[in-house]
Amino acid sequence: MAVTTLQELREHLELAIKVELSTVPPYLYAMYSIGDQQSDAALLIRSVVAEEMLHAALAANLLLAVGGEPDFAGPDVIPTYPSDLPHHEPRLTLNLTPCTPQQVRDLFLVIEQPESHHVIPDDDVYESLGQFYHAIERGIASIATETDLFAHPQRERQMAQHDYYAPVTFDAEESGGLAVVDNVETANEAIHVIIHQGEGVSDEKWADPNHKELTHYYKFLQIAEGIAPAGALAAMPDNPRSADYPAPIREVADLFNAAYRYIYLLMHQIFQPAADRASLVSTLYKLMSDVMSPVGHHLVNMPFNGGVAAPTFEVYDFEDIEPTRRLADLAADVASNHPELAAVADAVAGL
């Protein structure tokens, strides 16, 4: 996976965005399955998800800085489940399944496993995300000696405002946040934030210099080893499909998927020239907190096949209908049949 050309560098950064975002649904799905949403286990997973979104934004900043174009709008960008983690060796299948010890050990800990010796992967595959990002880092250093790699870093398009990202419980501000990328040094700083918060470096378990935040690997290890037990889990199906639900559940799942799809469309807009970034970021956070979260938790309380339903994280097709209008129609229909979600319809109307 050596990165030797500008085109290869851009392709690897595009892949980095996709890899970071592909982990979010499995992590959220596991979090939704935990009965006590204020437990350390649930909050630890939530903290990882917040940083995966940060890492996707940093990867997009890196891509813009080297003249690339982040694409969050295309339907192929959104992962489906089950699916393989791209270019990972050995093969690693991403599934949507409850937060069982097996899921944490066999998937989450493998995704976030530490890199031991800074070994560059061969044959276009990687064994750890650390390997993957170190290949990008070395590629940047090499290409920058041959060309003015950061001649047009597109600073004005990057998501770098400090207040666009705030650490949540179990995350520490000192572990890193959003930043402008415009030279080799700032590119390396962005990459190191991603690596240190994720699997860490070697056996280092801390993501920050003051030892306030564990790396993702050690956060998940706390759950796997019962230090932060997941406790009672909702009986959610594995890799559900909206089409398999009866109509009363399907309409709620479709609303969730429409909101999930709109998040990608908003992220695409955020990185466009002349975007009203502050307004778009505000809408993004409202969509996640006031729409996706309550709808997802409502699904987990709807009986289905002897257990409960769950979000499906599928690509919703707006069919040329303006997304906010379609979301408003879906939310109004859902609220009429599920009065508990009336506040969600109000939130959508206010987007």
Side-chain angles (χ1 to χ4, degrees):
M1 191 176 275
V3 179
T4 59
T5 69
L6 179 55
Q7 182 58 31
E8 288 176 346
L9 175 60
R10 290 172 178 169
E11 289 173 355
H12 279 69
L13 289 169
E14 290 168 2
L15 178 60
I17 294 171
K18 189 168 183 177
V19 167
E20 296 294 346
L21 293 175
S22 70
T23 66
V24 169
Y27 293 166
L28 279 178
Y29 197 88
M31 185 195 75
Y32 281 130
S33 75
I34 297 173
D36 181 2
Q37 287 291 296
Q38 294 305 309
S39 67
D40 283 356
L43 294 176
L44 281 166
I45 297 175
R46 176 172 170 261
S47 75
V48 171
V49 169
E51 289 186 337
E52 298 294 6
M53 297 293 289
L54 167 64
H55 299 171
L58 287 173
N61 286 355
L62 282 158
L63 181 57
L64 283 167
V66 298
E69 283 291 327
D71 178 15
F72 294 91
D76 293 340
V77 176
I78 302 179
T80 58
Y81 303 92
S83 63
D84 291 343
L85 191 64
H87 294 266
H88 191 276
E89 184 66 36
R91 179 179 176 181
L92 186 62
T93 301
L94 303 175
N95 287 291
L96 303 179
T97 191
C99 191
T100 62
Q102 181 179 3
Q103 173 76 336
V104 176
R105 288 191 178 278
D106 293 353
L107 182 60
F108 299 174
L109 288 178
V110 177
I111 292 172
E112 308 287 355
Q113 65 178 326
E115 177 197 0
S116 297
H117 303 292
H118 291 209
V119 177
I120 291 296
D122 296 320
D123 302 324
D124 202 33
V125 296
Y126 59 90
E127 295 180 2
S128 75
L129 292 177
Q131 278 188 341
F132 176 67
Y133 279 108
H134 277 121
I136 291 174
E137 184 179 26
R138 285 173 170 84
I140 288 172
S142 174
I143 297 168
T145 64
E146 302 169 355
T147 183
D148 189 358
L149 182 58
F150 297 96
H152 304 287
Q154 305 186 85
R155 298 179 189 88
E156 72 286 354
R157 293 181 58 185
Q158 295 184 36
M159 187 176 176
Q161 191 85 4
H162 182 73
D163 58 3
Y164 287 171
Y165 170 77
V168 298
T169 304
F170 290 119
D171 289 342
E173 187 171 356
E174 294 83 358
S175 72
L178 293 166
V180 170
V181 177
D182 55 10
N183 55 39
V184 172
E185 181 181 359
T186 52
N188 289 342
E189 289 172 358
I191 291 170
H192 291 171
V193 167
I194 296 171
I195 293 174
H196 292 166
Q197 289 180 345
E199 73 278 0
V201 178
S202 187
D203 59 354
E204 176 58 68
K205 69 177 184 178
W206 301 105
D208 67 306
N210 297 320
H211 292 185
K212 294 180 180 179
E213 179 187 339
L214 292 169
T215 66
H216 295 182
Y217 180 86
Y218 282 94
K219 287 176 180 179
F220 285 134
L221 195 61
Q222 290 225 319
I223 300 173
E225 293 185 342
I227 298 169
L233 301 177
M236 293 155 53
D238 292 344
N239 300 315
R241 295 284 183 272
S242 178
D244 295 334
Y245 288 147
I249 300 177
R250 189 185 314 126
E251 65 176 354
V252 182
D254 286 346
L255 174 59
F256 182 94
N257 288 334
Y260 175 56
R261 176 72 172 118
Y262 189 43
I263 279 179
Y264 274 79
L265 298 178
L266 285 171
M267 288 191 292
H268 189 77
Q269 293 178 50
I270 284 170
F271 292 99
Q272 298 308 303
D276 183 354
R277 242 167 300 285
S279 176
L280 290 168
V281 171
S282 176
T283 300
L284 179 71
Y285 282 125
K286 288 177 182 177
L287 192 64
M288 290 189 293
S289 64
D290 298 346
V291 181
M292 280 187 66
S293 180
V295 173
H297 287 108
H298 185 78
L299 280 165
V300 176
N301 285 284
M302 300 184 78
F304 173 69
N305 275 4
V308 294
T312 63
F313 291 96
E314 295 172 278
V315 179
Y316 186 86
D317 186 358
F318 286 105
E319 298 179 335
D320 297 325
I321 300 173
E322 201 282 320
T324 55
R325 182 161 66 87
R326 183 62 178 145
L327 268 170
D329 290 343
L330 286 170
D333 289 343
V334 165
S336 67
N337 296 320
H338 308 268
E340 311 95 312
L341 294 175
V344 170
D346 292 340
V348 171
L351 292 178

